Each structure stands twice: as C-alpha cells, then as structure tokens.
Amino acid sequence: MAKKPRAPKNFYTASQAIKKLDMPRSTFFNFVKIGKIKKVIPEGYTEGYYPKSVIDKMALEKEIFSLLYASDTSVFRKAEEKDVQGIHNLSLSIFGTNVAPDYENRLAPYLKNPDIYYIVEQDGILVGYLGMVPIKKDTVNRIMGETEEARSTLLTSMSEIVTPENILMFKPGEAENIYLIAVTRQGLSRSKYYGMKLILGGYEVLKDFARQGIIAKRLYAVSRTPDGVRLAKKLGFREIVIPGNPVRRFELDLEGVISPSLHEYQQIVKEAQDHPE
C-alpha cells in the first residue's frame, strides 16, 4: 500500500485542512476552485498543499463565530400576525412614512401569503425582520427598469412593491423571483450581527423550500443606505444601475452564480430536480 505524501512544514494536506475546518469535502474543494482557499505547490513538490496560517485563521474565525452564536439568546423565526405591528413600527422608525407602508398595507400582503415575513427577536423584542416575497415578473421588470416602458413606471417604495396584487404564493414554479427586505434596529451593538442572522435564517428557509420543490431562481433587492449596498455586494448581488435614480438595485442569479455560500442550496436544487416526488 502506497504511503500518502507528507505535507511540508507549515502546510496541511487537503485531508488535514478539511479536518481542521470541520468542513464537508465538497465545500472545501469548491472553496479551492473559486480561490477562497489557496492551494500552493511548494518548491520541490509536485502536489498542492494548504498554508497552515490561512487554514488556522479560518478555523479560528469559524470557532469564534460559533461561540458568539451559541452564547446569543436571539431567535430567528417565522413571523406571526401579531408580529406585523412590530415589523411596521420598526420599518416606520427607519424609513419614515414616504417609504414604509402603513399598517393596513403591511398586513394585507401577509394575510395573502403568511410565509413572507421572518423576524429576529432578542428577549421578546423584535430587533430585525426579513421579507422574502415572491413577486410577479412584471413587478420585477418595473423594479429593475428592464425596459424603457418599465423605466417610466419604476417602483421606488415598499408600499408600491409589496402589495397583494404583486405577490405570489410559495408554490412550485410560482416563487421563482424573490424580493428581499432586510431591516435591523439601529444603534445596537449587535445590529450587524442581527442582520447576518436574518440572512443566514433566510438562507435556511430557501433551502427548506427547495427541498419541497419550491425553487427560487433569482433574488432582488433595493437599497438607499451604504450598509445595505455593502451587504448586497458582499453576498454576490449584481448591481443594476439606472442613471439619475438614487435607489440602488441588485439581482442575484441563484442558478448561475458561483459562490461557496450558495453551493449547498444549488446542490439541494439539483437533487430536487433530479428526483422530483
């Protein structure tokens, strides 16, 4: 039996790196493929290895995140009707009446599709909410200004976009275009953390829907804030620029984008399509 090659000093083999990171092999090699994890061929070697300093740092960051997550008492969950008032109040405090819909117009879409809102609450206090809203294709066109006609009727506020007339249900073949809204209470030491918890929770929701054959193909979002723009770009969204319009628009192709963070979702989608019930 041939002996496995030994890693040179200050390097890990792939197996050692995978064990150190406690990561699935498919995810590890996908990270390598897109350059998230650097593979090096040291002088005098023919095989590739992985710098210990890089792998150890990644493992430490993962451990710290896990500790933060474990010690946190906030909860991500699907919103109930009683939470819609809190969602309305938070939205109003941040965006004002010109952008945020009034309570009745916030409640109406929820009553049509109770799966569109998710919240993070800390000790019973709502600190953030996520809207995941299946929308019609013509609404997408109007948000993104994809045609000259659409540009003349651009939708610019939540109250124009998330209406019972524009939204769909989470059903196979129907919920392909998802409009995202992520809002966290400002001025808190953990505001960015709560925002990330919303995103991670929403990702789990998308995966659960995919397992049921409800497959989202594209995500859309708009932002007026620097933090929102940075988050969209960090998550891999492509910006769609409309000259003269201050609202930043973003699109994420869940089928075509190559991203380690979406690899698991794409695998679930592939399995669901290969083995439909």
Side-chain angles (χ1 to χ4, degrees):
M1 182 176 178
K3 295 178 74 174
K4 292 183 179 179
R6 204 175 200 179
K9 187 178 180 181
N10 298 324
F11 288 87
Y12 287 125
T13 64
S15 296
Q16 290 170 331
I18 289 168
K19 184 177 180 180
K20 182 74 176 180
L21 293 170
D22 190 24
M23 180 182 290
R25 289 183 64 86
S26 61
T27 301
F28 177 83
F29 286 112
N30 189 55
F31 274 40
V32 174
K33 180 180 178 181
I34 66 171
K36 184 81 172 179
I37 294 176
K38 186 178 181 181
K39 182 168 74 171
V40 177
I41 302 178
E43 187 176 350
Y45 288 78
T46 57
E47 298 289 330
Y49 297 93
Y50 305 88
K52 280 189 175 183
S53 59
V54 174
I55 300 300
D56 289 348
K57 182 182 178 184
M58 290 181 67
L60 179 60
E61 289 173 348
K62 184 178 179 181
E63 185 179 43
I64 290 172
F65 180 81
S66 297
L67 288 172
L68 285 171
Y69 197 91
S71 63
D72 180 52
T73 58
S74 62
V75 176
F76 174 91
R77 63 173 176 83
K78 181 180 169 183
E80 302 173 18
E81 185 173 341
K82 64 182 176 64
D83 300 310
V84 176
Q85 183 67 60
I87 291 172
H88 167 67
N89 293 341
L90 177 56
S91 182
L92 196 63
S93 70
I94 295 175
F95 300 112
T97 55
N98 289 335
V99 176
D102 59 29
Y103 173 73
E104 288 73 20
N105 287 325
R106 172 76 68 180
L107 179 63
Y110 171 85
L111 294 178
K112 178 176 180 179
N113 184 346
D115 295 321
I116 63 174
Y117 291 136
Y118 300 83
I119 67 169
V120 168
E121 58 181 2
Q122 177 79 50
D123 301 324
I125 300 172
L126 190 148
V127 293
Y129 75 88
L130 178 70
M132 297 177 58
V133 188
I135 53 175
K136 297 177 179 177
K137 183 58 179 172
D138 67 324
T139 305
V140 172
N141 292 339
R142 291 174 64 198
I143 295 170
M144 296 298 162
E146 294 183 2
T147 64
E148 287 300 322
E149 182 180 359
R151 286 172 188 257
S152 66
T153 57
L154 281 174
L155 300 177
T156 58
S157 72
M158 199 91 66
S159 57
E160 294 176 298
I161 299 169
V162 185
T163 68
E165 296 76 23
N166 290 341
I167 71 174
L168 299 167
M169 306 302 290
F170 281 102
K171 295 180 180 179
E174 189 167 320
E176 295 184 348
N177 300 299
I178 306 292
Y179 179 67
L180 294 182
I181 313 123
V183 178
T184 56
R185 196 176 297 275
Q186 300 302 294
L188 303 176
S189 60
R190 287 192 147 196
S191 291
K192 290 184 179 180
Y193 171 75
Y194 293 139
M196 188 54 64
K197 192 161 187 173
L198 284 171
I199 298 301
L200 293 174
Y203 186 39
E204 293 301 317
V205 172
L206 282 178
K207 290 192 290 185
D208 286 342
F209 277 131
R211 293 185 184 102
Q212 302 170 50
I214 303 168
I215 297 170
K217 294 184 177 180
R218 284 179 173 78
L219 305 181
Y220 299 90
V222 301
S223 180
R224 294 172 172 79
T225 67
D227 283 347
V229 171
R230 280 193 293 269
L231 179 60
K233 290 184 176 180
K234 184 177 180 179
L235 293 173
F237 279 74
R238 176 177 67 93
E239 183 172 4
I240 298 174
V241 178
I242 299 178
N245 193 290
V247 179
R248 310 283 287 271
R249 291 164 166 80
F250 297 91
E251 176 185 21
L252 181 62
D253 180 356
L254 294 173
E255 293 181 307
V257 70
I258 299 176
S259 168
S261 59
L262 292 174
H263 180 66
E264 187 177 358
Y265 176 78
Q266 291 167 338
Q267 286 295 109
I268 292 170
V269 169
K270 185 177 185 302
E271 290 173 8
Q273 291 172 337
D274 290 344
H275 305 286
E277 292 185 2

